[in-house]
């Protein structure tokens, strides 16, 4: 028995970034999704109907009156598993927020009972205008996911926030939202901070003390939080990964830089998840020139000093309404060391995993035990790092909304 392909309506509004959406469409169709493209009439000035039809394998129309016997203005929204609008212009966001239905795309948005995602793209002044911000807030309050645009080169010589995120990352948003299905966007309206990667502590201009963290788990946490409706600040240390769509990325190098960035972002955060591997120590002094090797002589010892303990600092604050999550990478006595670290750091949750050769670092999968300050224990079997990320956000949501169903089962003990 063949399972039904997920049905995606890909809405395209009239922005120059429409050409990038061809790549998003290709990724959706090649990964087994049944995609119907619904452009606005003006969007067809940027990319024509034959292109959308050829890439999707489905008929394309921007008009309510085409194929009227099939009632497409109602049927498309009713049958979709996801409606994804990219690019979403300021005009399209305004019409969607005010419930207008003057073309096939806005009719589809009104009839959709599935998750809806908007990926805005426009000039910075338009994105930052109070009218646009209010329209975005309205759509988010209704449960839609509005992805924060990227910063970078815009049309002409302009640069700033308003750029359509990379299509590969938009595909990841679509995939994560589809995976959650009808589950509520339980982090909507919340600001979360995630740290990722591994810090580097400079010895001289060419050498540093570092670790093996790739940042994959932190990036999975950021992507998953975006799909659940959160505003995400990702503090990334030395990560060679594309920026997750919808996340504000703050790049840092050292533990001191990470502390400054995390504490600044955490000032108004509802949750902070410290997934980064932060170096415990740094050289006491920095050599301005490369340390030379001298024949027959042993190198001078490098004296180390402690780095700031960011997780413990967050735990000491114990700000009401904020959930703090730490990570513990252990090589032995995993649970015993994890419980001791949880008590020492003062965090609400601690994700404990075993690391070593061919475990965790740089791999797409992970396994962990999530310990709670309330005595809870949640075992996460080995699987994609996104699965662990979803479990972490389930547990965070349970603590942000005490007494409400968080959609997961935990083992108490």
């Amino acid at each position: 028995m063949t399972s039904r392909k997920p049905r995606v309506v890909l809405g395209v509004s009239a922005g120059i970034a429409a050409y990038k959406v061809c790549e998003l469409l290709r990724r959706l169709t090649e990964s087994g999704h049944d995609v119907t493209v619904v452009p606005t009439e003006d969007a067809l000035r940027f990319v024509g109907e034959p292109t959308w039809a050829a890439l999707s394998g489905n008929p394309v129309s921007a008009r309510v009156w085409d194929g009227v016997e099939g009632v497409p203005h109602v049927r498309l929204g009713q049958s979709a598993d996801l409606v994804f609008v990219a690019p979403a212009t300021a005009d399209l966001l305004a019409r969607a927020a005010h419930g207008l239905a003057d073309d096939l795309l806005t009719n589809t948005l009104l009839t959709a009972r599935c998750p809806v995602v908007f990926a805005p793209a426009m000039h910075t002044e338009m994105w930052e205008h109070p009218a646009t911000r209010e329209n975005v807030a309205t759509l988010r309050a209704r449960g839609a996911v509005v992805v924060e645009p990227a910063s970078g080169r815009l049309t002409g010589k302009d640069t700033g926030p308003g750029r359509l995120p990379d299509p590969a990352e938009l595909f990841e948003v679509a995939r994560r939202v589809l995976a959650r299905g009808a589950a509520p966007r339980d982090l909507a309206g919340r600001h979360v901070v995630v740290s990722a990667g591994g810090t580097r502590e400079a010895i001289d201009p060419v050498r540093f003390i570092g670790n093996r963290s790739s940042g994959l788990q932190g990036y999975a946490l950021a992507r998953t939080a975006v799909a659940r409706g959160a505003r995400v600040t990702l503090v990334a240390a030395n990560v060679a990964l594309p920026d997750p769509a919808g996340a504000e990325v703050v790049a840092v190098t050292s533990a001191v830089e990470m502390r400054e960035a995390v504490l600044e972002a955490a000032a108004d955060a509802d949750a902070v998840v410290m997934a980064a591997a932060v170096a415990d120590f740094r050289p006491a002094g920095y050599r301005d020139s490369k340390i030379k090797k001298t024949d027959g002589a042993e190198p001078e010892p490098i004296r180390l000093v402690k780095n700031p303990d960011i997780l413990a600092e967050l735990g000491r604050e114990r700000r009401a309404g904020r959930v703090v999550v730490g990570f513990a990478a252990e090589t032995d006595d995993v649970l015993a060391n994890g419980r001791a670290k949880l008590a020492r750091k003062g965090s609400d949750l601690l994700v404990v995993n075993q690391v070593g050769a061919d475990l965790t670092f740089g791999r797409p999968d992970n396994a962990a035990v999530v310990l709670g300050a309330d005595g809870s224990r949640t075992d996460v079997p080995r699987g994609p790092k996104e699965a662990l990320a979803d479990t972490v956000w389930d547990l965070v949501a349970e603590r942000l909304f005490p007494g409400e169903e968080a959609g997961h089962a935990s083992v108490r003990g």
Side-chain angles (χ1 to χ4, degrees):
M1 182 176 178
T2 303
S3 59
R4 178 178 68 82
K5 290 183 178 181
R7 296 192 182 107
V8 178
V9 172
L10 181 59
V12 184
S13 60
I16 187 65
Y19 78 92
K20 295 182 179 180
V21 182
C22 295
E23 174 65 14
L24 172 60
L25 172 56
R26 185 186 67 80
R27 288 176 178 269
L28 287 167
T29 55
E30 289 187 356
S31 57
H33 299 83
D34 180 8
V35 186
T36 299
V37 180
V38 181
T40 65
E41 287 203 59
D42 283 341
L44 295 175
R45 294 172 178 263
F46 295 97
V47 179
E49 183 177 319
T51 300
W52 298 122
L55 290 174
S56 68
N58 284 318
V60 174
S61 177
R63 296 167 292 278
V64 174
W65 302 108
D66 290 346
V68 69
E69 69 281 358
V71 201
H73 71 290
V74 173
R75 178 182 54 79
L76 284 170
Q78 287 178 334
S79 62
D81 298 303
L82 171 68
V83 177
F84 198 112
V85 183
T89 61
D91 175 72
L92 188 282
L93 292 172
R95 289 191 288 139
H98 289 84
L100 300 183
D102 53 357
D103 61 10
L104 186 55
L105 178 53
T106 49
N107 271 273
T108 299
L109 289 168
L110 279 183
T111 57
R113 294 298 179 266
C114 60
V116 176
V117 178
F118 296 91
M122 63 197 74
H123 272 73
T124 302
E125 293 83 359
M126 300 172 77
W127 173 247
E128 294 178 345
H129 194 283
T132 303
R133 304 309 294 170
E134 288 181 16
N135 291 333
V136 168
T138 296
L139 292 168
R140 285 173 171 163
R142 293 178 188 156
V145 175
V146 183
V147 177
E148 290 286 317
S151 291
R153 181 71 178 269
L154 306 173
T155 306
K157 298 180 179 179
D158 294 344
T159 300
R163 182 182 176 90
L164 188 73
D166 184 87
E169 289 301 316
L170 290 178
F171 170 71
E172 291 299 323
V173 174
R175 196 170 64 83
R176 294 305 304 147
V177 172
L178 276 167
R180 287 190 57 76
R185 310 302 122 186
D186 52 3
L187 296 179
R190 300 289 184 164
H191 177 209
V192 303
V193 178
V194 178
S195 70
T199 61
R200 294 177 179 178
E201 311 303 325
I203 298 172
D204 62 22
V206 297
R207 300 181 180 92
F208 60 84
I209 298 172
N211 57 66
R212 298 180 184 274
S213 179
S214 65
L216 288 171
Q217 185 63 70
Y219 274 55
L221 283 155
R223 289 191 185 98
T224 303
V226 168
R228 295 172 77 143
R231 176 168 68 91
V232 180
T233 301
L234 176 62
V235 182
N238 310 297
V239 174
L241 297 170
D243 291 351
E248 177 192 0
V249 180
V250 181
V252 298
T253 299
S254 67
V256 171
E257 291 176 0
M258 176 164 282
R259 174 187 177 274
E260 181 179 346
V262 167
L263 293 184
E264 180 179 350
D268 68 344
D270 298 287
V272 183
V273 181
M274 291 295 298
V278 183
D280 293 320
F281 309 100
R282 68 179 186 275
Y286 172 77
R287 303 289 185 91
D288 292 324
S289 57
K290 178 182 175 181
I291 301 173
K292 296 292 187 180
K293 180 171 64 175
T294 304
D295 291 341
E298 291 296 319
E300 293 182 13
I302 297 174
R303 190 170 70 86
L304 301 178
V305 295
K306 285 185 178 180
N307 266 325
D309 192 328
I310 308 169
L311 181 60
E313 192 169 348
L314 290 166
R316 285 194 298 270
E317 288 183 9
R318 303 299 301 170
R319 200 188 75 192
R322 184 172 70 190
V323 179
V324 176
V325 184
F327 271 67
E330 301 291 345
T331 56
D332 47 37
D333 295 330
V334 174
L335 284 181
N337 287 333
R339 289 192 178 98
K341 183 172 182 177
L342 176 65
R344 190 169 66 251
K345 302 294 186 179
S347 54
D348 300 285
L349 295 164
L350 189 74
V351 182
V352 186
N353 52 17
Q354 187 169 11
V355 296
D358 298 324
L359 287 175
T360 304
F361 290 137
R363 292 179 57 94
D365 58 348
N366 205 348
V369 177
V370 187
L371 303 175
D374 57 0
S376 63
R377 167 180 168 171
T378 304
D379 293 87
V380 184
R382 183 161 299 280
K385 288 186 173 179
E386 291 167 342
L388 175 56
D390 261 325
T391 298
V392 170
W393 292 125
D394 286 344
L395 294 166
V396 168
E398 183 182 77
R399 285 153 178 79
L400 289 174
F401 309 102
E404 298 183 18
E405 180 60 44
H408 76 280
S410 62
V411 180
R412 304 286 172 180

